[in-house]
């Protein structure tokens, strides 16, 4: 079983017992009932209007950064769990318009359609995305929350206007990675980002990186920069740098509102147990009620932060309002 | 032919000659070449970082408003031009998770997929959405811009981080409509919002409503409030209040960056010609290069503005980053 | 409770007790275990190679009839249970080809995509489509058969090459309906086709209409002819002529392999109970193991049968081989 | 330029001049105008009711074979030209049904949806699928035939009931390939099947293999058997055995109605020119008007034909009736 050591750090858990480690972390970090039995917002409860107002004051230059990866067929999905890249097709085109489309007075039009998994590219995991032994956020039965009709309780629409606040970039890739000069720094696949790495990054980046209640924390590993240069490889589901299972307590204790990374799955892959699949998800989503963002493009923002030394900003990260979605695509905007 | 009258107003055009009226308006209002032959941003060129910075200073309380309608099967689409409501299906569910999904250590998951027209609900029209006699924005041939592969030139990704700035709500529905007490005011279908209505609304709302270069203007007609109460009816494509064809010059002259409404099609329906289809689109998109938003939910924001008398705010309206899209869904966020 | 009367007919069940009537019919008609505990073919077990060989001998002229309705956006679906009409879009077009697509030596191409419910138009209900109190065909638990991954046991692929045999058309619409001269005969909505109607039709049509073991029975009501003339109206889910709940015993006792109709839902609508939804389905699919076809176009075939007096033919009705589907579209071919 | 040699064979064309070779073959083999200027059926004109009747007489045992590959996510598509594998999702499931779905009297249901390219698995190429220098079948302009609205002239619905007739299997893989004992014989990738190979196969298989007017010819290469054993590899678009470009004259002269193979692209890959893409398609579809089937599973049928020495059968190969489709999925049934 995982226990805190004297120094407050969290030792690596027993590799052979993910179920025990998850149960222990869940017991330590659970927020069930914290905001009442009917709560659907989880850690977004930490993010108040006052914090949003303060976050808007961080905008000094008016520089806007889209943190979205593209949504197109050139993406990383390979069909695992029926996740494909987006298929974008046209209902009308300019080539048609030149040939005439039957509209009056010379009007021509183009229109389009998309079919895609909601988690194919830059996205939020909603609170209905992951269950622990059949239990969803706040202790609800999974089958009472998510059926084929979607998430009837914690659908992403409940977060539509809430994920707006102070963003903080922790550029762990630049601090601990390779190729800083060429790509901004890249952690290798399998690199487990621990609480110590996070705290060292905060300390090195300086006071604009302090992390606290209600913050929207962006952790850059550099894996997306590598994929951009070398090709996707196994970006969608393969080995990756990412948060260590042992960060569950930090994610809980800091009272952050959400976290996002530039990797497919947020946590380190392979996972830190012999036989496991995304054990940190199993703690943070159903037990902490934490919103997790994946496949974000943090590179341009990170370069800007490295240049001016300011790692905080207004972050507007509103999910597409798909009723009942357990995850949702978005185009997050950081404003400095 | 349409001509300005002595007072500077724009008289109603000849109902029998939409083609002539469109050509004349296009000639008066064209921005072709204004930002060089390679431009893909149109009126978003008016929206600078300085304006974004100033817009962020408008945030006084930290109140956030989602201006998105829902994306679901209960929407207004009826199949016209193959536009359906979004079909959201699950790849995995909580009911499955309770029965066991084959993951280790008690993990369960839900995942989802969507198929939808990009213009089925709250959206931006991109610059490749409408053509005039086979010509797209900046004078390009329509077929050189949009093929079955999508918009290779002005795809919505070119606007990914740009539509962030000062939003101004012009609540014409509340000023000139009925049922103000119950629904915030509703213009009847077929009500053509003219320059005079816009200017009277600005005057009545007070100085926070001044409209100028780079602004993101939101015009509330109240039609969505009516649809919410009475059912969709013909909301998607039928009669509607909306901008008069005669506002083309105002839309051009104010140098706004974008405009959005709470209706399906932005301009008044039926159109103001005997035989026409969206003639104002044919001027403002290919000739002015204006970004047009449709099917926004402005009601909660409008109620707040009416209550505190402040009609300006930071608006973050980033389109989903679908490569080559001629339109894109989004979840616009207004911050006051 | 429903009981057989002295003459062997089945009286109308108690309108207030669908659950009791279903239970009684299920008890009388159950085929559970008849072909062993692992069976996935249900009544298709009745259809042998010998019967297929005999059916081929019915082909006298070589006339082929497609019994498929179109698959397109002009179909009857209105979104109920997220059933839309098919959305067919192009990946490449001829208009693009004229402008050049980048292929060598003057090659051009067009390619297409579809998104559709598997039951949007002409289709088979598979054995995993309907459950009775959580039980699927042969007594399996519904959740052991169909999850979000599809039907892992009785997916339509198990019937891929089996639904080929002797087809028999019972043109009840022509026998008992109106407008025979103009449309081939149409039963009114709400008309419950009973065993007596079926047997009278067989008697009137003559010996080529005899129904027995392994046959594929097509019952024409004429509703599709009416929809073709008058528009869809509520064809998808609304009132309709169709099989009476009381035909369950006939469907069981004749040992037919499958049945199909020209209506959306096979059985009469409104159903013959005060509060019910497709009670005959609940008997015939999970208990009898019967394959049910819906939305077939039987009109051209029926006109031909009326003209030559021959109501039997080779029917090749192979479902599209979608792995794990609980229903499947098809293009059934009758050969006379 | 390609010319017939003295023996009537067709020598290999000049590898450096695909455009010239295509033009010459098109000139020799064109059927433009043969069935009038309005024709939409191409070589299906050869297939008459009399031939269908004769074909039905070939059914001796009543054995039915599905020649369809599966339609599922485990298919070979990798995203090239936005061709994905089918995405099959559920609208309702058995796990939901066990938990209750709100239907009366214990009814439960499962329902499903698919999104797929029409050419993702077993399919027919329609006549609007391929163009030669902007010209479609019968000399029409490509843009007059296929727009974003689909194929308005030769859509696959025009063939709905026509592709039913005498099938002939030419098992070239068994005749000229390796691994006959284990897999039925497999031609290596890049193996060009010439007229000589076809004729030698016919001669060796015996009189039931004679090919003539109106026949539906199935050429088995064995590549699918290899993919089934070894995994897909580059099955969708990569190297493959297939018809030589030089068979255009045989395909034209035999007056067959259609041809299908067990490969992705029907013709040999790499193509027999230095820089080419599917040159035989460019001759046979727009000029001959030939229907081409791809990705068929011929293995079980071939084993049966090898066992009983009978290589002819009734083939019912009706495409799914998608209005305006340039290709269509199907489940072909061979009856022996």
């Amino acid at each position: 079983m995982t226990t805190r050591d004297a120094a407050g750090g969290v030792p690596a858990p027993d590799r052979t017992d993910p179920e025990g480690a998850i149960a222990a972390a869940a017991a330590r970090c659970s927020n069930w009932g914290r905001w009442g039995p009917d709560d659907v917002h989880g850690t977004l409860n930490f993010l108040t209007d006052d914090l949003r107002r303060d976050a808007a004051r961080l905008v000094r230059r008016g520089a806007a950064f889209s943190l979205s990866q593209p949504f197109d067929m050139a993406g990383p999905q390979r069909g695992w769990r029926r996740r494909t890249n987006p298929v974008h097709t046209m209902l009308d085109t300019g080539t048609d318009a030149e040939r005439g489309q039957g509209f009056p007075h010379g009007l021509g039009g183009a229109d389009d359609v998309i079919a895609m998994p909601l988690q194919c590219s830059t996205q939020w995991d909603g609170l209905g995305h992951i269950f622990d032994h059949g239990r969803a956020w706040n202790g609800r039965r999974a089958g009472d929350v998510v059926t084929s009709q979607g998430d009837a309780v914690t659908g992403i629409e409940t977060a539509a206007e809430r994920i707006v606040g102070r963003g903080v970039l922790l550029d762990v890739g630049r601090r601990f990675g390779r190729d800083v000069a060429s790509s901004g720094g890249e952690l290798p696949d399998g690199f487990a980002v621990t609480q110590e790495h996070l705290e060292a990054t905060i300390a090195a980046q300086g006071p604009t990186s302090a992390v606290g209640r209600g913050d929207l924390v962006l952790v850059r590993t550099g894996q997306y920069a590598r994929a951009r240069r070398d090709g996707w490889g196994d970006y969608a589901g393969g080995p990756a740098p990412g948060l260590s299972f042992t960060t569950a307590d930090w994610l809980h204790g800091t009272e952050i509102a959400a976290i996002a990374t530039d990797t497919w799955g947020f946590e380190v892959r392979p996972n830190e147990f012999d036989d496991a699949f995304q054990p940190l998800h199993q703690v943070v989503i159903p037990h902490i009620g934490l919103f997790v963002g994946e496949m974000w493009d943090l590179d341009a923002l990170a370069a800007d932060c490295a240049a001016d030394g300011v790692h905080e900003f207004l972050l507007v990260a509103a999910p597409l309002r798909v009723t009942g979605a357990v995850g949702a695509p978005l185009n997050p905007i950081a404003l400095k």
Side-chain angles (χ1 to χ4, degrees), chain A residues 256-287:
Chain A
I256 61 174
I259 187 167
T261 69
D262 56 352
T263 69
W264 165 83
F266 153 67
E267 56 184 296
V268 65
R269 302 270 298 157
N271 303 124
E272 299 153 288
F273 297 93
D274 293 342
D275 178 23
F277 186 71
Q278 303 298 72
L280 184 55
H281 277 72
Q282 194 171 335
V283 175
V284 301
I285 294 179
H287 292 285

Side-chain angles (χ1 to χ4, degrees), chain A residues 2-308:
Chain A
T2 306
T3 52
R4 287 173 176 277
D5 63 19
V10 180
D14 177 355
R15 288 193 62 85
T16 66
D17 185 20
E19 199 148 5
I22 291 165
R28 291 196 307 273
C29 301
S30 174
N31 284 326
W32 288 6
R34 183 168 184 166
W35 297 285
D38 297 331
D39 180 69
V40 297
H41 297 123
T43 53
L44 297 182
N45 283 291
F46 292 129
L47 184 39
T48 62
D49 282 3
D50 283 353
L51 291 176
R52 285 189 190 96
R53 180 200 57 213
D54 295 346
R57 293 180 180 156
L58 300 173
V59 182
R60 291 186 173 80
R61 293 151 42 206
F65 300 86
S66 165
L67 309 183
S68 176
Q69 296 186 14
F71 285 72
D72 60 37
M73 277 300 284
Q77 303 298 337
R78 294 181 160 189
W80 178 78
R81 298 191 75 70
R82 286 175 288 167
R83 285 194 187 161
T84 63
N85 292 308
V87 179
H88 171 229
T89 57
M90 304 304 296
L91 295 167
D92 282 297
T93 65
T95 49
D96 288 357
E98 290 192 10
R99 293 292 304 268
Q101 295 169 308
F103 291 114
H105 52 68
L107 181 81
D111 223 22
D112 37 17
V113 169
I114 203 163
M116 62 176 179
L118 290 176
Q119 308 212 355
C120 62
S121 184
T122 305
Q123 106 269 355
W124 284 117
D125 288 351
L127 294 186
H129 178 50
I130 297 291
F131 314 111
D132 179 10
H133 291 85
R135 292 288 163 175
W137 162 241
N138 226 18
R140 299 181 182 95
R141 288 186 64 190
D144 288 342
V145 176
V146 186
T147 70
S148 297
Q149 310 293 318
D151 184 333
V153 180
T154 45
I156 203 72
E157 71 276 13
T158 58
E161 74 289 341
R162 288 181 170 258
I163 318 183
V164 178
R166 177 177 177 261
V168 185
L169 177 75
L170 303 186
D171 196 347
V172 184
R174 195 172 305 262
R175 180 65 35 197
F176 293 99
R178 302 168 299 201
D179 299 316
V180 174
S182 61
S183 74
E186 303 170 19
L187 303 178
D189 293 337
F191 186 105
V193 175
T194 64
Q195 180 174 340
E196 289 69 27
H197 293 117
L198 295 169
E199 292 177 343
T201 302
I202 292 169
Q205 290 184 172
T208 63
S209 303
V211 169
R213 174 179 282 214
D215 284 336
L216 306 167
V217 177
L218 310 182
V219 175
R220 184 182 169 280
T221 70
Q223 193 199 21
Y224 182 58
R226 184 160 64 249
R228 182 147 37 194
R229 183 187 61 229
D230 296 343
W232 289 114
D234 288 327
Y235 181 84
L243 275 285
S244 168
F245 180 79
T246 61
T247 60
D249 296 83
W250 185 85
L251 294 168
H252 175 252
T254 49
E255 300 187 337
I256 61 174
I259 187 167
T261 69
D262 56 352
T263 69
W264 165 83
F266 153 67
E267 56 184 296
V268 65
R269 302 270 298 157
N271 303 124
E272 299 153 288
F273 297 93
D274 293 342
D275 178 23
F277 186 71
Q278 303 298 72
L280 184 55
H281 277 72
Q282 194 171 335
V283 175
V284 301
I285 294 179
H287 292 285
I288 301 183
L290 184 66
F291 282 73
V292 177
E294 291 159 340
M295 298 185 64
W296 293 34
D297 177 359
L298 303 175
D299 290 345
L301 175 66
D304 188 87
C305 294
D308 73 1

